């Protein structure tokens, strides 16, 4: 059995994963594995919300013949969305717009209509400091937040065709992966995702590989 662990820690992205693989499960030419993972994305300049994802994925891989190889997987994970306090401290200050709905002003609206921002960063509502100076999250993000945690349950498979001369340091050969995932086997999300990844390696000159 092989095991692999990885940890990521940054200013805005954190997480870790732990993987176990048995290449000859029950002494057959079948590879069995289990992945455990945790990911956390913090709010920053371009994303106004935090996300946390925790899940696991058991998988099996077996050869149809010598090539290609097919792998199947079942994934189950939970995602939650949260807002930093500074992006959630206004509660629909302007509910009486033409649509009868609450909204959050754009920077241009703040400067041109509301009188701009005072020296401390607070928006001036007709000369009265407000709570928009530190920014607010958009209504679509707030709606997602109101839905609570999201559970995703999916099944998928990968079809792999590999003629590489060396998997770790290839210099010649072809590697093609075709993947499909279907979410909707229970859970709160439904979608079909397909992806194809192809790589071809060939020697060019001396030690240079294209």
């Amino acid at each position: 059995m092989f095991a692999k662990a990885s940890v990521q820690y940054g200013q805005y992205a954190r997480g870790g994963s732990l993987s176990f693989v048995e290449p000859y499960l029950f002494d057959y030419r079948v590879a069995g594995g289990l992945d455990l993972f945790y990911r956390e994305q913090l709010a920053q300049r371009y994303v106004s919300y935090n996300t946390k994802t925790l899940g696991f994925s058991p998988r099996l891989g077996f050869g149809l013949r010598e090539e290609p190889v097919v792998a199947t997987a079942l994934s189950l994970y939970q995602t939650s969305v949260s807002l930093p306090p500074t992006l959630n401290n206004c509660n629909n200050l302007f509910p009486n717009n033409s649509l009868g709905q609450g909204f959050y002003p754009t920077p241009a609206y703040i400067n041109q209509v509301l009188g701009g921002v005072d020296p401390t960063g607070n928006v001036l509502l007709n000369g009265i400091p407000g709570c928009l100076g530190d920014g607010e999250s958009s209504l679509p993000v707030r709606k997602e937040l109101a839905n609570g945690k999201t559970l995703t349950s999916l099944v998928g498979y990968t079809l792999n065709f590999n003629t590489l001369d060396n998997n770790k340091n290839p210099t010649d050969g072809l590697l093609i992966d075709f993947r499909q995932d279907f979410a909707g086997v229970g859970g709160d999300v439904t979608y079909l995702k397909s992806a194809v990844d192809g790589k071809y390696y060939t020697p060019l000159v001396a030690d240079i590989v294209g």
Side-chain angles (χ1 to χ4, degrees), residues 28-64:
Y28 289 99
R29 191 171 175 261
V30 175
L34 176 65
D35 300 322
L36 307 173
F37 54 89
Y38 172 79
R39 294 188 295 268
E40 182 177 3
Q41 183 74 42
L42 302 181
Q44 36 108 346
R45 179 178 179 183
Y46 302 103
V47 180
S48 63
Y49 53 89
N50 307 316
T51 59
K52 292 182 181 180
T53 302
L54 177 65
F56 68 95
S57 177
R59 49 196 167 90
L60 289 175
F62 52 91
L64 299 178

Side-chain angles (χ1 to χ4, degrees), residues 1 8 11 14 23 29 38 48 51 54 72 78 97 122 126-127 129 134 137 157 164 178 180-181 187 189 206:
M1 176 179 287
Q8 178 188 19
Q11 184 177 5
R14 304 166 185 173
R29 191 171 175 261
Y38 172 79
S48 63
T51 59
L54 177 65
T72 60
Q78 187 179 70
N97 61 6
N122 291 318
N126 298 323
D134 53 6
S137 187
Y157 70 93
L164 299 180
F178 174 73
Q180 279 195 317
D181 293 317
V189 181

Side-chain angles (χ1 to χ4, degrees), residues 27 102 105 137 142-143 159 188 210:
D27 294 327
S137 187
R142 293 169 181 269
K143 290 179 181 179
L159 190 61
D188 306 312

Side-chain angles (χ1 to χ4, degrees), residues 22 28 34 38 49 59 80 87 98 112 128 207:
E22 174 54 63
Y28 289 99
L34 176 65
Y38 172 79
Y49 53 89
R59 49 196 167 90
S80 60
L87 298 180
S98 59
Q112 297 174 11
I128 302 175
D207 294 329

